Amino acid sequence: MAFFVKNMISNQVKNLGFGGESEEKKEEGGTSDPAAAKGMTREEYEEYQKQMIEEKMERDAAFTQKKAERACLRVHLRDKYRLPKSEMDETQIQLAGDDVDLPEDLRKMVDEDQDEEEEKDSILGQLQNLQNMDLDTIKEKAQATFTEIKQSAEQKCSVM
């Protein structure tokens, strides 16, 4: 019975990868060296792994930067339209560092929108809107509204 329990435990340990099994494979002629499996020398394989890790780090950094730029844009839009702030956006900006800024083309778009809104809100902007209106059309609409009200009143009141 003790032999059975000991054998069962050693099999479980082998299945977890704590020895035994890899030693048997080496004895059978299989290689556990990944460099040899890919047909490279050990140095070439290590250089390849190092290069892969560096590329992944660069991709991750670029991705984090893009996410922070998008978050920065959302923060600007929320400020502009007075929407509630998002903790997630602020966290993404902090993760990328303080050097996060809007991309140049998005900055131009935001600045143009802001300039247009400032012009519309100014007195000169309101005057320009008045100049662009067709006064004849406004007069016709006002006259039509007045005659409609007059006719409605005449129908309701026989004194007029």
Side-chain angles (χ1 to χ4, degrees), residues 151-159:
Q151 288 174 354
S152 174
E154 286 176 355
Q155 289 176 354
K156 291 181 182 177
C157 182
S158 58
V159 176

Side-chain angles (χ1 to χ4, degrees), residues 24-50:
E24 291 173 8
K25 286 183 180 178
K26 287 181 185 176
E27 291 174 3
E28 294 173 5
T31 62
S32 65
D33 187 21
K38 293 193 178 202
M40 299 180 193
T41 65
R42 187 74 172 153
E43 293 80 26
E44 289 174 335
Y45 184 74
E46 288 175 1
E47 184 65 30
Y48 172 74
Q49 287 294 333
K50 185 178 171 183

Side-chain angles (χ1 to χ4, degrees), residues 15 22 31 47 67 78 92 95-96 100 104 107 113 152:
N15 290 340
S22 62
T31 62
E47 184 65 30
K67 283 176 60 174
R78 283 190 178 101
Q92 287 178 345
L95 285 175
V100 177
E104 191 63 33
R107 178 176 296 290
D113 288 346
S152 174

Side-chain angles (χ1 to χ4, degrees), residues 74-75 77-79 81-87 89-90:
R74 288 191 297 267
V75 166
L77 290 174
R78 283 190 178 101
D79 287 343
Y81 295 110
R82 296 182 184 102
L83 298 173
K85 294 182 179 183
S86 171
E87 289 292 324
D89 288 342
E90 292 174 10

Side-chain angles (χ1 to χ4, degrees), residues 11-160:
N11 284 339
Q12 288 178 352
V13 170
K14 287 179 185 177
N15 290 340
L16 292 174
F18 292 115
E21 201 169 305
S22 62
E23 293 172 3
E24 291 173 8
K25 286 183 180 178
K26 287 181 185 176
E27 291 174 3
E28 294 173 5
T31 62
S32 65
D33 187 21
K38 293 193 178 202
M40 299 180 193
T41 65
R42 187 74 172 153
E43 293 80 26
E44 289 174 335
Y45 184 74
E46 288 175 1
E47 184 65 30
Y48 172 74
Q49 287 294 333
K50 185 178 171 183
Q51 183 181 7
M52 295 300 287
I53 291 170
E54 288 174 0
E55 289 176 3
K56 184 181 184 320
M57 289 172 59
E58 288 174 8
R59 286 192 310 270
D60 290 346
F63 181 68
T64 302
Q65 182 71 21
K66 285 290 184 186
K67 283 176 60 174
E69 288 174 355
R70 291 180 194 125
C72 189
L73 177 65
R74 288 191 297 267
V75 166
H76 283 287
L77 290 174
R78 283 190 178 101
D79 287 343
K80 178 179 176 181
Y81 295 110
R82 296 182 184 102
L83 298 173
K85 294 182 179 183
S86 171
E87 289 292 324
M88 186 177 72
D89 288 342
E90 292 174 10
T91 304
Q92 287 178 345
I93 292 171
Q94 289 174 354
L95 285 175
D98 291 333
D99 59 340
V100 177
D101 206 12
L102 288 176
E104 191 63 33
D105 53 344
L106 293 177
R107 178 176 296 290
K108 288 179 184 177
M109 290 171 50
V110 170
D111 290 342
E112 288 172 3
D113 288 346
Q114 190 173 7
D115 291 342
E116 288 176 10
E117 287 183 14
E118 287 175 0
E119 286 177 14
K120 288 180 183 178
D121 291 341
S122 70
I123 294 173
L124 294 176
Q126 295 297 330
L127 289 175
Q128 287 177 347
N129 285 341
L130 288 175
Q131 289 176 353
N132 292 337
M133 291 182 170
D134 185 14
L135 292 178
D136 292 333
T137 306
I138 294 173
K139 287 179 184 177
E140 289 175 8
K141 286 183 181 179
Q143 192 68 28
T145 304
F146 179 73
T147 54
E148 283 180 27
I149 293 172
K150 185 178 177 183
Q151 288 174 354
S152 174
E154 286 176 355
Q155 289 176 354
K156 291 181 182 177
C157 182
S158 58
V159 176
M160 292 180 115

